[in-house]
Amino acid sequence: MTDRYAVIGNPISHSKSPMIHTLFAEQTGQDISYEAIEAPLDGFAATIERLRLEGYKGCNVTVPFKFNAFSCTTELSDRALAAQAVNTLGFEGRDILGDNTDGAGLVRDIEQNIDVTLKDKRVLLMGAGGAACGVVLPLLTAGAALTIANRTRDKAIELAKKFPDAAGGSYDELAGRVFDVVINATSAGLSDSQVALPSGIFAKDALAYDMMYGRETPFMTFARQQGARVADGSGMLVEQAAEAFYIWRGVRPDTAPVIAQLRTPQ
Ligand code: ATR
């Protein structure tokens, strides 16, 4: 019997997850189906209950439901707990297991695909919203020396306070400091606005990583001008999916051909 999975969001028509999981399934010979489901903005819990009763094995959760998904679980992984958000659900009988694979996907893309080791590196995380929260614990677990900066300074300080090894502040306070890896987890790129980073922030051979994919953001352009290596979030997207696939199926797909396909202009 084909095991059923889905991604739930609103809107959802743009989602690449069905394509990614279908490629993983073909590659690994797993008998699964994977569809995109748009839940009403006030109907996430009801959608989850319907899928569970219909025998789905699990689902991914995307914007704007990652916090709702956190609340509807019966069990949470440490990384979901740290993120206070869930992007992967597993249905086992009456239990709903919640995990968050976003940070693992980011770390894996940086370390395995881009070949930058995070241990003891000076890492700047820009942003303190949902996207940033999801990746703090995995970055610290990888050994990064982490600074979190945010336009609204208090939010960066609040987020950093939850982790003994992270520091938080505003962008102004970064003047004179240098980082090996700078990760943009803000939504500024969506409106083509530039986050006011001081120049000289990138160390020699630094990596500038934008968690957004499919567009050149002002952050990426700025980083290129400053001489940094630049990556977008397409590798992270595929790696977080691979981690979810592994949780559900116990098999780790080869992500390289899927990332290549995602980057091929349609
Ligand atoms: P997401 O789930 O994508 O993280 P969010 O929770 O709304 O969305 O958080 C958006 C993040 O992008 C926040 O850190 C926000 O900064 P503020 O907390 O100061 O609002 C940041 N952000 C959005 N637009 C920005 C801009 N133009 N310049 C700097 N930061 C911006």
Side-chain angles (χ1 to χ4, degrees):
M1 252 233 330
T2 304
D3 288 337
R4 295 163 82 190
Y5 297 88
V7 58
I8 303 172
N10 186 332
I12 199 62
S13 56
H14 65 285
S15 175
K16 305 278 186 206
S17 293
M19 176 196 113
I20 294 170
H21 282 276
T22 301
L23 289 171
F24 287 167
E26 281 168 12
Q27 188 198 95
T28 58
Q30 294 283 312
D31 185 12
I32 69 160
S33 67
Y34 191 106
E35 70 211 84
I37 295 175
E38 185 169 284
L41 289 175
D42 61 354
F44 178 75
T47 304
I48 290 297
E49 189 55 8
R50 173 175 72 78
L51 297 187
R52 196 180 69 76
L53 292 173
E54 287 178 8
Y56 281 71
K57 297 285 181 191
C59 60
N60 287 128
V61 181
T62 186
V63 177
F65 297 127
K66 290 185 188 183
F67 299 111
N68 306 66
F70 180 80
S71 314
C72 79
T73 54
T74 55
E75 217 175 294
L76 284 164
S77 69
D78 287 349
R79 52 198 187 180
L81 203 55
Q84 298 279 297
V86 157
N87 78 336
T88 303
L89 292 170
F91 303 131
E92 285 182 16
R94 297 194 66 80
D95 287 332
I96 303 179
L97 317 178
D99 205 338
N100 191 316
T101 65
D102 286 331
L106 172 69
V107 167
R108 211 173 163 88
D109 191 36
I110 292 176
E111 295 208 312
Q112 311 287 320
N113 302 336
I114 303 172
D115 206 17
V116 170
T117 307
L118 287 163
K119 185 158 174 40
D120 297 330
K121 291 281 166 57
R122 297 161 294 182
V123 176
L124 171 63
L125 179 64
M126 299 159 57
C133 285
V135 302
V136 175
L137 182 66
L139 287 170
L140 290 171
T141 305
L146 189 65
T147 300
I148 302 167
N150 194 45
R151 179 175 62 181
T152 311
R153 182 176 183 269
D154 287 355
K155 276 169 67 183
I157 293 184
E158 275 309 304
L159 177 57
K161 255 200 226 155
K162 294 184 189 155
F163 302 89
D165 296 325
S170 66
Y171 294 112
D172 292 346
E173 291 166 283
L174 299 172
R177 294 188 56 193
V178 171
F179 293 90
D180 306 298
V181 179
V182 179
I183 299 165
N184 184 16
T186 74
S187 53
L190 282 177
S191 54
D192 273 333
S193 44
Q194 165 73 329
V195 179
L197 279 180
S199 60
I201 195 112
F202 296 101
K204 189 172 175 303
D205 300 325
L207 171 67
Y209 193 104
D210 202 312
M211 283 168 52
M212 208 158 271
Y213 65 91
R215 57 155 64 201
E216 171 84 8
T217 63
F219 166 73
M220 292 161 83
T221 307
F222 171 75
R224 266 185 239 288
Q225 286 161 355
Q226 296 275 315
R229 280 171 78 183
V230 173
D232 77 354
S234 48
M236 173 179 174
L237 176 72
V238 175
E239 293 296 348
Q240 63 77 26
E243 186 74 16
F245 193 88
Y246 177 71
I247 290 168
W248 292 328
R249 311 301 300 178
V251 187
R252 210 171 262 292
D254 180 8
T255 50
V258 181
I259 295 172
Q261 182 148 343
L262 191 74
R263 287 189 177 141
T264 308
Q266 303 301 310

